[in-house]
Amino acid sequence: MVKLGVIGVGSMGGAIVRGLLSSGQLQTEDILVFNRTRSRMRALEEQFPLSVAPNAATVAREANYLLLGVKPHMLTPLLDDLGDALAAKPIVVSVAAGKSLADIAAHLPAKTPIVRVMPNVNAQINQSISGIAANQYVSEKALGEVQEMFDAIGKTALVPEEKFAAFAALAGCSPAWIYRFIDALAQAGVAHGFTKTQATQIVAQAVAGSALNVLHNLPQGLNPQALVDQVCSPAGTTVAGLLAMEDAGFSVATRAAVNAAVARDQELSTS
C-alpha cells in the first residue's frame, strides 16, 4: 500500500505531487501515480523518481488516499471504469470543479469517504488557496491529513459544500481576473513610456505586496477599505484614479464576474 495514489497528473495533479515532495511532507515511495498520457508527466519524472502504475485500477487498489486529478468531464467515466478496484474504499479526494460529493458518491461503493477540494492555478508555485469539504464518512484524522497535503501547495479553508460555487469564483476563477487587471494596468504603463515587461513587473509586485499587506492587517481589524482610505490623500492622485475606476464600473463589474461564475458553476453541476 502507498499513502497517496494520484490518477491524472496534469497541471493540477502534478502541482500537488510536486508540492508534497518538495515540502518533504511525502516521499516518493509514499506516492503512486498514473496518467493516461505518459509524456505529460515527463518533467515531473525528471525531477522526482516516481513510481508509475501500469493503469488507474492499480492506483485505486494500492492507495490509502486516492487523488483524482482528472478533468470534470472525465471523472464519472473514470469512476465507473475503476469498478471493483474501489472495493477497498480508499479515501477519495477529488479536485474536479462542479462535481459534488453526492455526484461522486453515486459512482462509488456505499459509505466511501470522499473529500472535495477546490485548489487554484497558483498551486503551481505553492500559493494556492484550497477549499475543502468532506462527507460524513471522512474521519477527523483523515480530513486533517488531507488539509496537510493541500497546505503543501498553499493554504486551505474548510468550506460548507453549499458555498463551493462561491468559493470557486472567489478563489478558483479570480486569478484569471487578477491577471487581466495586472495586464490592463501594464498596458496603461506602456502608454506612458514603459516597456510591457517593465510595466508588468512593476504592477505584479505592487499587487503581490498589496495582497500581503491585506493579509498582514486583517488580524488587526483593518479591512481592504481601511487600507484604501490610508492611501487616498485629499484631492490626491490615488482618489482621482479610484473615482475614475468606479465611474467606469469597476466594483459593479467585479461583483458581476463573481455572480456569473457562481451561476455557471451551478449550471455545470446539474448538467
Side-chain angles (χ1 to χ4, degrees):
M1 297 290 287
V2 294
K3 181 161 187 177
L4 178 67
V6 185
I7 300 175
V9 195
S11 57
M12 185 57 71
I16 294 165
V17 171
R18 188 174 284 106
L20 288 168
L21 293 173
S22 298
S23 68
Q25 188 169 336
L26 293 183
Q27 306 302 313
T28 52
E29 59 266 26
D30 298 322
I31 301 176
L32 180 64
V33 303
F34 173 77
N35 201 68
R36 188 175 57 177
T37 306
R38 182 69 179 266
S39 61
R40 293 285 305 277
M41 296 171 47
R42 189 169 293 124
L44 190 60
E45 286 187 271
E46 288 173 355
Q47 186 177 1
F48 300 103
L50 288 169
S51 297
V52 181
N55 51 56
T58 299
V59 178
R61 291 191 187 98
E62 293 292 324
N64 289 321
Y65 289 83
L66 179 61
L67 174 64
L68 304 176
V70 300
K71 297 199 178 291
H73 72 276
M74 299 171 62
L75 183 61
T76 296
L78 170 64
L79 293 174
D80 290 340
D81 287 346
L82 289 176
D84 293 343
L86 294 165
K89 293 186 182 178
I91 297 163
V92 173
V93 182
S94 171
V95 296
K99 295 295 183 180
S100 69
L101 293 169
D103 292 335
I104 300 166
H107 300 274
L108 292 170
K111 298 183 179 180
T112 296
I114 306 167
V115 183
R116 183 181 175 191
V117 184
M118 174 59 66
N120 71 20
V121 67
N122 295 325
Q124 296 170 357
I125 57 167
N126 294 346
Q127 291 295 325
S128 178
I129 173 65
S130 302
I132 298 178
N135 69 4
Q136 66 267 42
Y137 306 114
V138 177
S139 68
E140 285 190 21
K141 179 177 182 293
L143 183 58
E145 291 199 346
V146 172
Q147 282 190 270
E148 288 177 4
M149 288 183 196
F150 283 87
D151 280 337
I153 57 166
K155 303 292 185 183
T156 57
L158 294 178
V159 179
E161 194 180 23
E162 63 269 21
K163 294 183 179 177
F164 243 60
F167 181 89
L170 294 176
C173 302
S174 64
W177 307 334
I178 294 166
Y179 301 152
R180 177 60 63 87
F181 173 65
I182 289 171
D183 193 62
L185 283 172
Q187 286 176 335
V190 172
H192 288 276
F194 288 100
T195 67
K196 186 64 178 291
T197 298
Q198 288 173 330
T200 302
Q201 289 173 334
I202 291 166
V203 174
Q205 181 59 47
V207 170
S210 299
L212 289 173
N213 204 17
V214 169
L215 293 173
H216 174 76
N217 280 286
L218 275 177
Q220 283 74 51
L222 288 177
N223 60 29
Q225 183 56 51
L227 296 176
V228 169
D229 293 341
Q230 285 183 356
V231 182
C232 289
S233 302
T237 56
T238 303
V239 73
L242 189 65
L243 291 173
M245 288 174 64
E246 290 301 329
D247 287 345
F250 179 76
S251 293
V252 172
T254 302
R255 290 190 292 269
V258 172
N259 293 339
V262 170
R264 182 57 180 154
D265 185 281
Q266 292 170 339
E267 289 173 5
L268 291 172
S269 66
T270 57
S271 61

